[in-house]
Amino acid sequence: MDDIYREQILEHARHPRNYGHLPAPTVIREERNPLCGDQIRLELAIVDDVIADVRFTGRGCAISQASASLLTEAIKGKPVAEAKQFSKDDLLEIIGIPLAHNPTRLKCALLSLKALKAGLYGVGQEDEDI
């Protein structure tokens, strides 16, 4: 793993961006990874079909928490339609560490994206749908 990306993960895990609760979220979605116990709660404030603000809370490994922090930075201010198109590959590129051959870590990294998609589409999302 490249040291720059390792440091980015640790920085976001230790000092997550957009951590906390929104005063009046329009979308709330919580997802859990039953294999490791990680959990993410994503709160969105959508105004005029734009993600005006976003917050998350949760607990788990450094990758799940850093991934949520990085995702919130990426989607804040984006149109909902664009956020719906945000893919697994997009998130993995932002994270910057190779996880494709580590299914357990991959589930951790994608937990926040699963919460985003389920919240925006209003239904449960299977891992294959992300």
Side-chain angles (χ1 to χ4, degrees):
M1 182 182 344
D2 189 276
D3 286 342
I4 292 171
Y5 292 116
R6 183 180 301 128
E7 286 303 316
Q8 175 178 274
I9 294 295
L10 292 175
E11 171 62 22
H12 276 268
R14 290 179 186 140
H15 307 287
R17 290 16 164 228
N18 302 306
Y19 191 87
H21 294 283
L22 291 174
T26 50
V27 174
I28 299 171
R29 182 64 186 208
E30 189 168 320
E31 292 290 335
R32 297 177 194 276
N33 182 346
L35 298 175
C36 65
D38 289 357
Q39 71 179 53
I40 295 289
R41 175 186 166 108
L42 196 63
E43 300 180 6
L44 306 172
I46 298 174
V47 178
D48 297 327
D49 287 324
V50 171
I51 299 174
D53 205 356
V54 57
R55 296 282 185 271
F56 83 96
T57 56
R59 60 182 171 78
C61 69
I63 290 176
S64 74
Q65 301 304 295
S67 174
S69 176
L70 289 160
L71 178 66
T72 62
E73 285 190 316
I75 64 169
K76 193 173 192 177
K78 301 282 189 210
V80 170
E82 189 175 328
K84 284 181 174 181
Q85 299 303 311
F86 202 87
S87 72
K88 170 175 86 170
D89 291 335
D90 293 332
L91 184 55
L92 292 175
E93 184 176 325
I94 292 170
I95 294 169
I97 58 175
L99 296 170
H101 300 294
N102 188 334
T104 303
R105 287 296 186 201
L106 187 60
K107 281 189 174 291
C108 295
L110 297 178
L111 191 60
S112 58
L113 183 60
K114 185 176 181 180
L116 174 66
K117 297 285 183 131
L120 292 178
Y121 285 102
V123 295
Q125 293 288 295
E126 297 301 320
D127 292 339
E128 300 82 39
D129 297 336
I130 295 178

